Amino acid sequence: MISIITSMFVGLLGILLYLIIKYPDRSIGTNARPDLTGPKGLPIIGNLLEIRKKELTNFMYDVLMEYGPIATFTFPGLGRFITINDPESIEYVMKTNFDNYIKTPGGRVRLLDLLGDGIFNVNGQMWKFQRKLASHLFYGKNFREIICVVFEEDTKKFLKIMEEKVNSGEIFDLQELFYRFTLDSFGKITFGLDFNCLANLEKPVPFAAAFDFAQAVINRRVTNPYLWKFKEILTKEGRKMREACKYLSNFAYNIIKQRRNDPEALKDTRDILNLFMNAEYENGEKLTDKELRDIILNLIIAGRDTTAQELAWMMYNLMVNPTIEEKLVKELNSLLSEDNPIPKYDDIKQFEYTQATFYETLRLYPAVPRNVKLCLKDDKLPNGIPIYAGELVNWSSWATGRDERVWGIDAKIFNPERFLGSEDGLKPSQYKFTSFNCGPRLCLGQNFATIEAMTLATSLLRKYKFERMPGQKSPPDFGVSLTLPMKDPLLVKVHRRN
């Protein structure tokens, strides 16, 4: 018996030594890439410990700043990452040879219980089908007749809440209010559903709490690719995750059920949910309730989270940059008045400094801080660097926005005027300014998000000044999520402007 145990131990030790020799500085299963620079990893586990210590977005930033614009690292269970940070390479991957770089199967599995087969979690024909239908929401006529009408209605509600908070002197979380605003607006525009978040400030929003929790759990799965399924079976977090996903699914199914039971509502051709419910595949079949559920939750993550977070980051940067705020308010006073306190659709383009401030916020605080694709066939980047089938190509909008090689020596400084005095125009190349993604996957809702943020921000900042409460970290940390929320509440007081 002892000899058997000894033999097994010696055998395992031999296998371990073999793996250490074969993978001396990278994760198991990856090929050596001596032609690329990057942080040296540990035998078998590669850069696992560094990534877990720093968080993936921060780790990628450090790698690109030290080794970029193209670098590499490895992670067990995921493989070798080729991290790119130059606009030419990003354009090649996201446009020129788009079909060779797809969403990763592992990433799809991690997102499956929340996003299912929705637009953010599929490739190929299913993605094209959903994107084509969703694009109908963003026609110019819809902006005038539906979208901007809702934005104006909810902005009036938000301004009324600000007046109450001025009178009470209350300290409150501004980011939380922005979440309520965007969820209310998007629910009405997309599903004809009023979440009543702004009408019931004293009540928590169960949908939002479940959604935020599920996103945080999914983000943590990235750094635990082997064991997250087993861990979630056994832990309290896993049980809570299953409950959250069940709640979100039931919520979406109830929306679908109510719509099916209302034939008159189904006739509204401007409603995006109706477009999907009435759509047919090439074989004549309609979408199932499960497919509609996935689409609803994917749309909400785009319509609620991203704009609310950008508004919060924008307000923070204005509070810590009073000179920029002063210039912005000067523009608002020249274009708005007591008789015209909320801009109309055709007025938005006049607010150039405000829009530049919003884009500068997106540059430094992109709603989706990183992205990754799987290479299907051996390929070469424009600079001649090979990418082999099975390797992962990733980039970080967070890092790109802070890279002096891309944005100049003041890349880390919040400066809206870079968008006004630049030869690129108000919004530069999408492969340099990747905050709305780029190529065929360019964000359908970029104008929607911009107009929503501009409508609320212009109306709000003309009338009110925000005071950030002391004791908060500056700049704030971002939270663990699929997107880029502030980790902690943005605690403020609001005052009327003189």
Side-chain angles (χ1 to χ4, degrees), residues 123-134:
N123 296 295
Q125 290 302 315
M126 189 61 177
W127 166 73
K128 291 178 182 178
F129 175 76
Q130 292 186 40
R131 184 178 174 88
K132 182 178 180 180
L133 283 176

Side-chain angles (χ1 to χ4, degrees), residues 125-351:
Q125 290 302 315
M126 189 61 177
W127 166 73
K128 291 178 182 178
F129 175 76
Q130 292 186 40
R131 184 178 174 88
K132 182 178 180 180
L133 283 176
S135 68
H136 289 277
L137 174 63
F138 304 109
Y139 287 153
K141 187 177 180 182
N142 274 2
F143 272 105
R144 286 187 175 86
E145 296 182 0
I146 303 173
I147 294 171
C148 288
V149 171
V150 172
F151 289 164
E152 184 173 348
E153 290 173 354
D154 284 346
T155 294
K156 288 177 180 177
K157 292 180 183 178
F158 203 100
L159 294 174
K160 184 178 179 181
I161 292 168
M162 290 303 99
E163 196 64 20
E164 293 170 356
K165 293 192 180 298
V166 165
N167 294 331
S168 68
E170 176 188 349
I171 296 171
F172 62 97
D173 179 4
L174 186 56
Q175 179 175 241
E176 167 64 16
L177 272 186
F178 287 145
Y179 276 130
R180 288 174 177 266
F181 172 84
T182 55
L183 186 55
D184 272 0
S185 299
F186 197 74
K188 291 174 194 172
I189 291 166
T190 313
F191 314 120
L193 173 70
D194 192 346
F195 282 85
N196 286 312
C197 301
L198 291 175
N200 298 291
L201 295 182
E202 71 284 354
K203 293 183 179 179
V205 183
F207 179 92
F211 209 60
D212 291 342
F213 179 80
Q215 287 190 68
V217 171
I218 286 171
N219 198 64
R220 285 192 284 271
R221 290 174 178 176
V222 175
T223 55
N224 193 16
Y226 284 130
L227 301 175
W228 67 264
K229 288 185 180 180
F230 301 102
K231 176 186 173 186
E232 289 181 20
I233 290 173
L234 301 171
T235 62
K236 181 179 178 181
E237 179 177 271
R239 183 175 70 253
K240 189 175 177 182
M241 176 65 172
R242 291 187 289 277
E243 291 171 354
C245 289
K246 182 179 180 181
Y247 175 88
L248 294 170
S249 292
N250 288 340
F251 191 96
Y253 285 133
N254 284 335
I255 293 175
I256 298 163
K257 182 179 179 181
Q258 290 172 16
R259 184 61 56 87
R260 290 201 190 282
N261 292 335
D262 189 348
E264 286 302 312
L266 272 170
K267 295 177 182 178
D268 187 350
T269 57
R270 301 170 301 175
D271 188 304
I272 193 69
L273 179 57
N274 285 351
L275 283 171
F276 280 104
M277 293 184 73
N278 293 321
E280 296 180 351
Y281 293 114
E282 291 182 358
N283 61 7
E285 292 184 3
K286 290 185 179 294
L287 279 70
T288 65
D289 284 2
K290 167 62 170 58
E291 289 170 326
L292 291 168
R293 171 263 184 208
D294 297 345
I295 288 165
I296 287 172
L297 294 183
N298 277 252
L299 288 173
I300 288 176
I301 195 174
R304 168 194 177 250
D305 291 33
T306 55
T307 309
Q309 290 161 12
E310 293 307 323
L311 281 165
W313 289 113
M314 179 176 170
M315 297 302 293
Y316 159 76
N317 278 287
L318 289 172
M319 284 186 276
V320 298
N321 291 284
T323 303
I324 294 173
E325 182 182 18
E326 185 179 337
K327 291 179 181 179
L328 188 148
V329 172
K330 184 178 179 181
E331 177 180 78
L332 303 184
N333 286 332
S334 71
L335 295 169
L336 295 174
S337 65
E338 287 301 312
D339 294 329
N340 180 35
I342 300 174
K344 305 297 183 185
Y345 173 70
D346 292 323
D347 300 331
I348 292 292
K349 59 181 177 292
Q350 299 179 56
F351 295 85

Side-chain angles (χ1 to χ4, degrees), residues 37-51:
T37 59
K40 186 177 181 180
L42 294 172
I44 302 175
I45 64 171
N47 301 101
L48 170 66
L49 299 182
E50 292 175 87
I51 292 171

Side-chain angles (χ1 to χ4, degrees), residues 424-435:
D424 292 325
L426 188 57
K427 190 168 65 173
S429 162
Q430 58 186 266
Y431 306 103
K432 174 182 178 181
F433 180 71
T434 59
S435 301

Side-chain angles (χ1 to χ4, degrees), residues 342-449:
I342 300 174
K344 305 297 183 185
Y345 173 70
D346 292 323
D347 300 331
I348 292 292
K349 59 181 177 292
Q350 299 179 56
F351 295 85
E352 290 191 358
Y353 193 87
T354 310
Q355 190 166 336
T357 304
F358 181 61
Y359 284 152
E360 180 69 346
T361 304
L362 279 160
R363 183 183 73 86
L364 287 171
Y365 302 92
V368 181
R370 60 182 190 268
N371 215 321
V372 63
K373 300 291 180 184
L374 172 69
C375 178
L376 294 177
K377 298 178 182 178
D378 290 356
D379 197 9
K380 278 188 178 181
L381 295 177
N383 57 13
I385 290 177
I387 306 291
Y388 299 111
E391 291 183 332
L392 301 169
V393 178
N394 68 334
W395 65 96
S396 168
S397 298
W398 170 274
T400 303
R402 289 164 168 74
D403 194 336
E404 294 180 2
R405 292 164 294 201
V406 178
W407 289 96
I409 59 173
D410 67 340
K412 298 178 181 66
I413 297 172
F414 190 85
N415 176 25
E417 293 184 18
R418 76 175 72 248
F419 287 96
L420 298 174
S422 169
E423 62 183 17
D424 292 325
L426 188 57
K427 190 168 65 173
S429 162
Q430 58 186 266
Y431 306 103
K432 174 182 178 181
F433 180 71
T434 59
S435 301
F436 286 117
N437 214 333
C438 49
R441 282 192 179 264
L442 181 69
C443 176
L444 280 173
Q446 60 176 311
N447 290 331
F448 181 101

